Amino acid sequence: PLLLSGPASPELPWAIKSEEKAKYDSIFDSLNPVSGLLSGEKVKPVLLNSKLPVDILGRVWELSDIDHDGMLDRDEFAVAMFLVYCALEKEPVPMSLPPALVPPSKRRMVSA
Amino acid sequence: SSINRSTSVNEPPPWRATNPFLNETLRDVQPSPINPFSAFFEEQERRSHNN
């Protein structure tokens, strides 16, 4: 009964593990974020390096820019990177962000 | 002379204007020297060589 609580539980562990997060954070930092945010212009060329089709990357962006401000913060960027790696592994990119992928810092926003 | 290729995409993608991956904005993208996926591609190549 400890696992499998409700699907949108705030206790749900984030799908991005801490060692992955550390890796994505260092990429994030190397892109010179401004006040903790990366613009689409900065993120786009990096994601294009994945050689994925633009429509896939567009969906990745749509899912990871959770607050739709056109910028990615540290957590949103990690979601974007996670989804790109999923797509590279031939995993389909979901149409909507699974609850486990929503960064814990954003969950209140999404469920509100 | 201007190239008037009206790209008649009848349905605009349902993404919001904040999405940098809309077709219009893809033109002058400079490739980034930061490629976090290069290790992935190398690994993939190694795998395909082994098969």
Side-chain angles (χ1 to χ4, degrees):
Chain A
L2 288 172
L3 300 169
L4 301 172
S5 47
S9 159
E11 307 302 318
L12 192 69
W14 199 18
I16 300 175
K17 298 185 189 73
S18 57
E19 66 260 30
E20 290 174 287
K21 180 64 162 57
K23 192 171 74 176
Y24 302 151
D25 277 353
S26 67
I27 301 164
F28 182 89
D29 289 329
S30 66
L31 290 168
N32 300 319
V34 178
S35 355
L37 294 169
L38 284 178
S39 67
E41 294 307 305
K42 282 188 181 171
V43 175
K44 185 165 60 172
V46 176
L47 294 196
L48 284 172
N49 275 336
S50 68
K51 299 180 187 148
L52 288 169
V54 180
D55 59 331
I56 300 282
L57 293 176
R59 183 127 53 92
V60 166
W61 177 275
E62 187 64 20
L63 294 180
S64 51
D65 184 13
I66 293 162
D67 47 15
H68 295 292
D69 61 353
M71 314 276 273
L72 296 187
D73 66 20
R74 202 171 276 276
D75 288 347
E76 291 173 335
F77 181 76
V79 173
M81 293 299 295
F82 183 89
L83 289 172
V84 169
Y85 274 110
C86 284
L88 285 172
E89 297 284 4
K90 308 279 185 285
E91 301 265 350
V93 176
M95 294 310 286
S96 62
L97 201 60
L101 256 184
V102 178
S105 59
K106 311 266 177 197
R107 289 198 182 157
R108 222 172 291 165
M109 224 170 79
V110 170
S111 59
Chain B
S1 63
S2 62
I3 306 162
N4 261 331
R5 270 204 318 153
S6 54
T7 41
S8 56
V9 182
N10 290 332
E11 285 179 46
W15 308 325
R16 295 164 210 234
T18 53
N19 193 321
F21 291 96
L22 291 170
N23 287 340
E24 310 327 293
T25 58
L26 270 177
R27 275 164 205 163
D28 359 88
V29 177
Q30 302 294 317
S32 169
I34 297 174
N35 188 349
F37 312 105
S38 54
F40 176 90
F41 291 127
E42 281 162 29
E43 175 65 36
Q44 209 175 33
E45 192 139 311
R46 216 176 3 244
R47 272 187 244 166
S48 66
H49 273 289
N50 287 346
N51 285 348

